[in-house]
Amino acid sequence: MLKLQFPKNFLWGTATSSYQIEGGAFEEGKGLSNWDVFTKKKSKIKNFENGDIACDHFHKYKEDVALIKKLNIHSYRFSISWPRVIPNGIGQVNQKGLDFYDRLVDELLRKQILPFVTLYHWDLPNALEEKGGWLNRDTAYHFADYTDVILKKLGDRVKHWITLNEPWIVMVAGYVLGAHAPGLRKPYSSLRVAHNLLLAHGLGLERIRSHSPKAIAGLTNALTPVYSNQLNKEGKAVRRANALMNQLWLDPLYKGKYPTEIESAVLSQNKHNIKDGDMELISRKTDFMGVNHYSRMIVKSIPFPLFRFFPVLPAAESTQFTTMGWEIYPQGFYDLLKWLAKEYGNQPIYITENGISQTDVVKDGKVEDPSRIQYLKEYLLSMLKAMEEGVDVRGYFLWSFLDNFEWQEGYEKQFGIVYVDRQSSDLKRIPKASAQWYAKVCKDNGFIY
């Protein structure tokens, strides 16, 4: 056995997002989000499920905050629903919606839990979606105005901010594959979406700085180490995949330019859309790099325009997968963190999501999930190894606090350390064995491996 200890003041957290847990989709003046609309379309979501009720966190937030406290968790990363606060995305503010987050922040602070707030986690006001969504440059400016409203209300108490969550997923799942809202398949416009999202980050960060100069703010990206299916690890497919999945979202922030590998494609899709001063805004200094990480990607070359790569499964028969079909590969976490530190000047990092989906069941009132505990041990060990070699990781947020609405997968995929009994009238919360294990990690600032 090995006792693993983390640095003093390391931040242990857990994470959720508004559409995935809140419910209250049509209450107290909330406007429609693109996900409220998308989930009602035929054959988009497994079992025709949706987030209308989700985990009912909108009504049960005090119970949930009390449970977070009971589990010794230091910080709670949650997102704000833009249409709950500004129903049409622009214009009139819904005070009741804003007050919900005001109460949530106060409740967290009363329990001495640090709020870590994401401003945008995919639920765009549908009124803006109807005006082009992220294909429309104006959406970035509307996001900045929305950020203004939130900072005026919460900026006196919230000191940790994330502008956007996983713009790569917004772009590829929403505008290339059509699997997420708005369900479009427009690969030859997708890099316009990318620029508008990055511009929204830059404009939002500017508003955060104007209201709260001492705030700690950054952008969260879904980052994935890329490997070749051949021995040539630096082949064309790897370079292309790395550019689109990782560098597209990091080079503009930390180098002030788009990656060379795809620069011509970005520029050709953004004729008249990239304006003077955009890159200066986008590359304004952040306080941390938000990293969401789950697995690696192995790729091979294909002649498909723009992407020019295709993901393939690992060849080893012993490979293990989550119920999402994602390979369990903790070495990739270490490889990613080392690459980020080398490529981008060892920025302070918060791991804003990491976790595993599996099938959990209640037996005798308990949920045993030893494979989740093992996954977390392996990934935390890889993270700590990178930290011991100098990578500046400041905190870790386990995804997810609750079993929630997992987008196109509905409620079938369970990421939570807390089971939500969807058969009970009050959506009873049952902490899993992994929740008790994680509570001890948070208390001890380490664990036995």
Side-chain angles (χ1 to χ4, degrees):
M1 291 194 302
L2 179 65
K3 179 70 167 76
L4 300 178
Q5 201 68 38
F6 285 77
K8 187 180 179 181
N9 299 322
F10 189 80
L11 188 66
W12 294 99
T14 190
T16 64
S17 86
S18 51
Y19 188 77
Q20 291 180 276
I21 71 161
E22 280 182 4
F26 313 107
E27 294 187 43
E28 297 192 352
K30 177 186 168 293
L32 285 175
S33 77
N34 56 351
W35 276 92
D36 290 321
V37 173
F38 185 72
T39 55
K40 305 305 190 296
K41 294 181 178 179
K42 187 177 179 180
S43 302
K44 293 296 184 182
I45 311 296
K46 281 188 179 177
N47 303 317
F48 307 103
E49 292 170 333
N50 57 60
D52 290 0
I53 299 173
C55 303
D56 201 25
H57 177 73
F58 184 66
H59 298 109
K60 297 170 74 70
Y61 74 93
K62 286 188 178 181
E63 176 188 335
D64 290 338
V65 170
L67 183 51
I68 292 170
K69 179 65 176 178
K70 188 176 180 180
L71 294 174
N72 305 318
I73 293 169
H74 308 162
S75 183
Y76 177 48
R77 177 188 169 220
F78 65 94
S79 75
I80 292 174
S81 167
W82 185 350
R84 191 178 296 284
V85 174
I86 307 177
N88 292 315
I90 58 176
Q92 185 67 40
V93 173
N94 176 31
Q95 191 61 45
K96 287 184 178 179
L98 196 54
D99 287 346
F100 167 70
Y101 297 106
D102 193 48
R103 294 193 300 271
L104 175 57
V105 167
D106 282 348
E107 189 69 17
L108 289 165
L109 293 175
R110 270 195 292 271
K111 298 288 188 182
Q112 297 180 302
I113 298 166
L114 184 74
F116 220 104
V117 179
T118 304
L119 289 162
Y120 181 73
H121 197 128
W122 307 354
D123 44 352
L124 187 71
N126 196 61
L128 295 184
E129 192 70 78
E130 291 176 346
K131 295 178 180 179
W134 291 108
L135 286 165
N136 186 346
R137 182 183 165 93
D138 289 346
T139 302
Y141 291 89
H142 299 323
F143 173 78
D145 292 340
Y146 152 68
T147 299
D148 230 16
V149 171
I150 301 301
L151 264 290
K152 284 177 182 175
K153 185 69 172 180
L154 305 179
D156 60 329
R157 285 155 292 153
V158 175
K159 301 304 177 186
H160 294 76
W161 297 94
I162 295 166
T163 51
L164 312 176
N165 179 78
E166 299 184 342
W168 155 255
I169 304 297
V170 175
M171 181 191 88
V172 75
Y175 291 85
V176 177
L177 302 177
H180 283 192
L184 301 179
R185 295 183 179 180
K186 294 188 173 183
Y188 300 111
S189 302
S190 61
L191 294 175
R192 183 184 182 93
V193 170
H195 182 75
N196 291 338
L197 284 161
L198 288 165
L199 178 61
H201 158 75
L203 291 166
L205 184 63
E206 184 179 52
R207 301 296 179 93
I208 292 170
R209 297 288 188 232
S210 68
H211 285 284
S212 188
K214 294 184 179 179
I216 296 169
L219 169 69
T220 277
N221 281 301
L223 300 175
T224 305
V226 183
Y227 306 83
S228 174
N229 70 324
Q230 299 175 329
L231 292 177
N232 178 9
K233 294 184 178 181
E234 292 301 324
K236 291 180 180 179
V238 170
R239 289 196 300 272
R240 192 71 172 189
N242 196 39
L244 281 163
M245 297 176 64
N246 299 317
Q247 293 169 309
L248 172 60
W249 314 102
L250 296 172
D251 282 17
L253 267 71
Y254 301 108
K255 299 181 180 181
K257 63 184 183 65
Y258 283 107
T260 303
E261 172 71 27
I262 57 171
E263 186 177 26
S264 61
V266 173
L267 295 178
S268 69
Q269 287 195 20
N270 278 280
K271 288 177 181 176
H272 312 300
N273 191 56
I274 296 178
K275 309 291 186 183
D276 289 346
D278 281 6
M279 299 313 291
E280 288 78 5
L281 266 174
I282 292 168
S283 62
R284 189 169 183 179
K285 182 174 172 54
T286 58
D287 300 296
F288 65 88
M289 179 187 291
V291 175
N292 290 0
H293 172 72
Y294 293 94
S295 188
R296 66 169 170 171
M297 180 170 282
I298 303 170
V299 297
K300 69 175 183 179
S301 292
I302 61 168
F304 184 76
L306 180 59
F307 283 85
R308 302 180 193 167
F309 69 89
F310 188 77
V312 298
L313 294 176
E317 292 183 6
S318 59
T319 302
Q320 293 181 303
F321 297 90
T322 73
T323 57
M324 291 291 290
W326 300 342
E327 181 190 7
I328 298 173
Y329 189 73
Q331 176 66 32
F333 200 11
Y334 168 84
D335 292 346
L336 173 67
L337 290 171
K338 292 288 285 185
W339 176 75
L340 289 171
K342 180 181 178 182
E343 187 72 15
Y344 298 104
N346 203 17
Q347 302 291 325
I349 288 173
Y350 285 98
I351 306 304
T352 40
E353 285 184 28
N354 171 246
I356 177 176
S357 69
Q358 57 181 48
T359 302
D360 297 315
V361 295
V362 181
K363 186 175 182 180
D364 299 325
K366 298 180 180 180
V367 180
E368 300 293 339
D369 56 343
S371 57
R372 178 173 285 108
I373 295 172
Q374 188 59 34
Y375 173 99
L376 294 172
K377 283 182 177 180
E378 297 285 352
Y379 273 74
L380 289 172
L381 177 63
S382 285
M383 181 180 77
L384 184 59
K385 181 183 176 185
M387 292 168 64
E388 289 173 343
E389 294 177 11
V391 180
D392 188 10
V393 181
R394 305 282 180 91
Y396 173 91
F397 291 80
L398 191 158
W399 185 272
S400 172
F401 171 52
L402 301 171
D403 287 339
N404 57 32
F405 179 79
E406 192 51 45
W407 310 111
Q408 77 269 34
E409 300 293 336
Y411 294 96
E412 182 180 279
K413 303 297 189 287
Q414 296 165 288
F415 277 92
I417 54 171
V418 175
Y419 182 92
V420 177
D421 185 356
R422 306 205 66 79
Q423 304 307 311
S424 66
S425 60
D426 62 347
L427 296 173
K428 182 180 179 182
R429 275 68 162 142
I430 304 173
K432 303 176 187 179
S434 58
Q436 309 303 338
W437 178 84
Y438 192 58
K440 193 170 188 323
V441 173
C442 296
K443 182 180 179 181
D444 297 345
N445 197 32
F447 61 94
I448 302 293
Y449 180 78

